[in-house]
Amino acid sequence: DVGCGAGHLSFALAPLLAEVLALDPAPAMLATVATAAASNGHGNITTQQGDAAALPFADASFDLVASRYSAHHWLDLAAGVREMCRVLRPGGYLLLIDVETDADALVDTHLQCWELLRDRSHIRDRSDTEWRQLLADAGISLQQQQGWPLRLEFGSWVSRMRTPPEKVALLRQLQQEAPQEVASALQLEADGSFTSRTGLWWGQRAG
């Protein structure tokens, strides 16, 4: 689980797999995962500190490499995807779940600005077309792609990241000034809540 954060994906996968390794650059996140795993009886979850762009594992080490809502924080996304492919055994599977941006440049620009104001660690959301190219370039054959809407309630969305009040005010100003095309595409509501999109990509490394 690359960029495991608080371990949501690790905990979802643990009942299905013999072993799960949760990796994150932040020691605090790893401590959170280890504590929760111990209290929830997930003895098959271990943790390790590391960065997606330089995974600390040998080639062909894993049957499945996965990441959930982490990739839009990676400084070098292409390197991260290549590393995920490298540590997969031939025939192994790759699972990516992340925010999927709009292919329209106007909508994409506004969404990226909102994301960055909310969370300064944000790098970039990618479109389905971009994800497909990244996976192909890394040697992953896409097997399945799914996408679904994700409504984000504004108050909880900014509070989760402890967004400073001055940034929240700027964010709301940008939303209120957004062109109608943006407001419609993101289903922008009066209180700032909006609906983005989650994408899921399931692929396989060549055998």
Side-chain angles (χ1 to χ4, degrees), residues 7-21:
H8 300 290
L9 182 59
S10 293
F11 298 131
L13 293 174
L16 308 173
L17 302 172
E19 295 180 69
V20 176
L21 193 150

Side-chain angles (χ1 to χ4, degrees), residues 140-159:
I140 297 295
S141 173
L142 186 65
Q143 304 295 305
Q144 187 175 359
Q145 193 276 336
Q146 296 180 12
W148 57 89
L150 177 66
R151 182 182 179 273
L152 296 164
E153 192 278 320
F154 186 81
S156 59
W157 184 60
V158 294
S159 66

